[in-house]
Structure formats: C-alpha cells, structure tokens
Amino acid sequence: MLLSRAIASFNAGALMIPNSSSSSRVRTPTVGCIPAGAMTIRSGPDAARVLKVEPQPLKQVLDLQPKPVKQPIDRRPATKLKIAVIGFGNFGQFLARTFAAQGHELLAYSRRDYSAAARSLGVAFFDDQHDLCEQHPDVVLLATSILSAEKVLRSIPIQRLRRKTLFVDVLSVKEFPKHLFLQLLPPDFDILCTHPMFGPESGKHGWAGLPFVYDKVRIGESEEGAERCRSFLEIFEREGCRMVEMSCAAHDETAAEIQFLTHTIGRVLAKLDLKSTPINTKGYETLLNLVQNTCSDSYDLYNGLFIYNKNSTELLENLDVAFDSMKKELFQRLHGIFRKQLFDGSSAQ
C-alpha cells in the first residue's frame, strides 16, 4: 500500500512518504532518470522539506530485447534415401557413418565380411548382391578401388533394381567411371560421378570446407530423378562441403597435378627412407608428413591414379624432364667453379 501511494505521488511530481516510526531513513528507488527539479518530501502533517534531485543516468541499462536461442543443427534429411554401398571397406564405412547419422537408410555389400562393422553403424549388410538389389535402393554407391571398379560393376544384378535407380561413384578418377557407367548401365538409370576430395584421415574432424566435386552425367528429366540427385548432393552440403560442379574431363586434368603429383613425390621420398632428426626444420617436417600421408594409402590407389588418368603419363614425363633440367643446371655450375679453380687459380665465389 505504501509503495503504491509512493509511486502515485512520484508520477504526480512529488514523492509523498507517510510518517513512519519504524524507519527514519528514506530510500528512493532509481527508475530510469529522475527529472530535475524540486521534490517535496513530507514526513509529518505540518513538516516539509525540499530536496533538490539531480538527474542521474542509469548505471546499467537492461537489454530487454529477446535474444535468439541457438537451435541445434537439424541433420534430418528433407528426403530420406535408401543407399546401397557397394564396397564397404575403409572409405565406404567412412561415408556410411555420416549418411546414417543424417537419417538415411543404409545397405552394404562387400566381398569381405564387414557385418560386424555394419552393425555398429546401423547398416544392413548383405553377402549376396541379389538380395541387396531386391531391396530396391534409391542410390547405388560404388565405393570400390579404381582397379576393381569394372569387375564389381559388371557383377551387380542390375535387372533386380528399379528403373531410374541413381548410380554414383566416389573414385579418385572421373573419366573412367563415367565411360564405364555409360557403357554398362541401361539408359534409364541416372548417373552422378563424384569425388570427395578428402578421406578418413583428412575428414575425421568433419567435412566443413572440404571440396566435393561432382558431375551430373545423366540425370533424367523426371522430377523424381532430379529430387533423388538433389537429396544425395544435399548430404554433403549439410556437412559444409565446398560443392564444386566440374566435368569429369576437367577433374582428371586438374587432379593429375593435385593428386598424382603429390602421391608421386611422397613415394619417391619414401624410397630415400627419410628419418626424423633432432634438428628437423619445418620444411623437412612437411616432407616427412607428406611421406606418411601418401604411403598410408594403398598402392592400388596410386597405381589407379596413373593407369586410369591419361593426364598422369604426361605429368610423369614433365616431372622427369624438370628433374633432369635441375640436375643439369647444378652440374653446369659445379663444372664452372672447377674450371675457374683449375685454370685461373681463383676460389669459388
């Protein structure tokens, strides 16, 4: 009651405090800024005194604007796909883990028994391709090695699949699987050639910012086929990949320098049996890491990069020419220094 009367008086321009025997000290709460001027305080019927009050800024301004609540990332797909992974080795399992985490239904087949690994990922494992194809997956993902891709593709009982099934590959070369798909698959099957430019090691902390190359080789005009392709690509978009649409030919030309050259240098250095030393420089550490990263991949991958990318042969020849040119330059300088010392008696500068 006292508080309501005080507030009413304050709004009227004067703060009226009734006489109270329980307290002789008056505390005036600060709300915003008190207007300048005189405030009459009456503590008794006949007693009054005038208190000069200067405006005081509020020390702490309360932010009453609602702040957005950070929502957890929704990893549920807009369209749930049934994806059959053919080749459930290290890379196939690496991809399946993320596919399953996004809520897609996963099937898998491999020549080796990976049933235990599949169960741990929530993937249905099949030891017979006929049984797998009878599940009518939306997407068949070829995740084999480059060298075994043709043999595996020829072994798939495609007659048991539904028409318009989307075939996708994730090989490190692109022209080869493109021509393989076009040659062996019926014309009503859709084809998407892709290359995730990362793997279990480089993508173990997430795929954000990592490049994903794709080429829509043959996607039907139906809305169903287009939506299926969009939904598959959306898997990588949701993980933050840098999506790069590029023709298979352009990919192989670029990848020869990015991948084959890197793997070649790493494996050449491995032949030198380089060892870590107590005085390693940053540059030398980089070389040691290059050897470790490239040689941790199978030799079949390196061999496939050479055999199934026509640009790799030219690159290897150019590398050989560049190395010979560098040796020639070094020995010419050395020969010049020796000639000066021999005939002029001067020391090397």
Side-chain angles (χ1 to χ4, degrees):
M1 188 66 170
L2 295 179
L3 178 60
S4 62
R5 290 174 58 188
I7 294 176
S9 300
F10 174 78
N11 292 335
L15 183 58
M16 306 296 296
I17 308 287
N19 191 18
S20 174
S21 60
S22 60
S23 175
S24 59
R25 179 178 299 178
V26 177
R27 295 183 179 179
T28 57
T30 303
V31 180
C33 292
I34 300 175
M39 180 179 292
T40 303
I41 300 178
R42 295 182 176 87
S43 58
D46 301 321
R49 56 195 174 113
V50 177
L51 176 66
K52 291 290 185 178
V53 180
E54 297 296 331
Q56 296 294 326
L58 192 64
K59 291 184 178 180
Q60 182 177 0
V61 178
L62 300 180
D63 184 6
L64 301 180
Q65 294 295 325
K67 294 183 178 180
V69 179
K70 187 176 181 181
Q71 298 293 336
I73 298 175
D74 186 4
R75 303 187 74 188
R76 293 174 299 177
T79 301
K80 182 177 179 180
L81 296 173
K82 183 187 289 187
I83 304 173
V85 181
I86 308 296
F88 203 59
N90 192 30
F91 194 70
Q93 293 175 35
F94 167 68
L95 294 177
R97 183 175 294 106
T98 296
F99 294 174
Q102 287 194 15
H104 297 285
E105 182 180 351
L106 270 295
L107 319 173
Y109 167 81
S110 201
R111 289 174 296 177
R112 293 179 57 184
D113 182 9
Y114 289 111
S115 56
R119 278 194 303 272
S120 69
L121 297 174
V123 177
F125 186 81
F126 294 81
D127 56 10
D128 188 297
Q129 292 191 80
H130 291 265
D131 295 337
L132 180 143
C133 290
E134 287 176 354
Q135 301 300 312
H136 296 158
D138 302 304
V139 179
V140 174
L141 180 70
L142 193 65
T144 64
S145 69
I146 300 173
L147 300 181
S148 63
E150 181 175 359
K151 181 180 179 181
V152 172
L153 184 60
R154 289 183 180 275
S155 70
I156 298 175
I158 57 178
Q159 72 277 5
R160 296 185 180 275
L161 296 168
R162 291 185 304 182
R163 295 174 60 191
K164 301 295 183 183
T165 299
L166 174 63
F167 269 75
V168 182
D169 85 283
V170 288
L171 304 186
S172 297
V173 293
K174 294 274 66 74
E175 283 281 86
F176 169 63
K178 171 186 173 180
H179 293 307
L180 200 60
F181 281 161
L182 291 173
Q183 175 188 353
L184 299 179
L185 295 178
D188 52 355
F189 278 41
D190 291 339
I191 299 172
L192 177 66
C193 289
T194 77
H195 183 195
M197 304 289 291
F198 52 89
E201 184 62 29
S202 57
K204 63 183 177 182
H205 298 304
W207 301 356
L210 300 177
F212 179 83
V213 181
Y214 64 96
D215 184 8
K216 299 176 183 178
V217 176
R218 187 174 69 199
I219 304 298
E221 296 180 357
S222 69
E223 180 58 31
E224 180 186 1
E227 175 61 27
R228 188 165 43 239
C229 180
R230 281 195 300 267
S231 297
F232 183 81
L233 293 174
E234 189 182 64
I235 295 174
F236 298 88
E237 291 175 352
R238 283 173 171 266
E239 297 300 318
C241 289
R242 180 161 52 88
M243 308 297 287
V244 182
E245 187 168 8
M246 178 184 290
S247 71
C248 291
H251 168 276
D252 283 2
E253 183 177 354
T254 305
E257 297 179 355
I258 295 174
Q259 281 192 298
F260 182 69
L261 178 61
T262 302
H263 278 259
T264 298
I265 297 299
R267 290 187 176 273
V268 167
L269 293 175
K271 297 290 186 182
L272 299 178
D273 195 24
L274 302 179
K275 304 292 184 184
S276 182
T277 74
I279 56 171
N280 288 357
T281 62
K282 291 293 185 181
Y284 188 72
E285 290 284 355
T286 301
L287 295 182
L288 293 177
N289 290 332
L290 177 61
V291 172
Q292 181 180 0
N293 292 336
T294 53
C295 293
S296 63
D297 290 324
S298 68
Y299 192 83
D300 279 352
L301 171 61
Y302 177 58
N303 198 22
L305 292 174
F306 174 66
I307 296 174
Y308 293 101
N309 188 342
K310 62 182 181 181
N311 301 283
S312 296
T313 302
E314 182 181 357
L315 184 84
L316 200 59
E317 291 174 351
N318 291 340
L319 183 62
D320 198 30
V321 170
F323 189 65
D324 284 341
S325 175
M326 182 59 64
K327 287 195 300 182
K328 183 178 180 181
E329 182 178 342
L330 288 172
F331 282 109
Q332 281 180 342
R333 284 185 63 88
L334 182 63
H335 182 68
I337 292 173
F338 283 160
R339 283 183 61 85
K340 280 188 176 183
Q341 291 178 343
L342 181 63
F343 296 105
D344 301 338
S346 60
S347 59
Q349 299 297 320

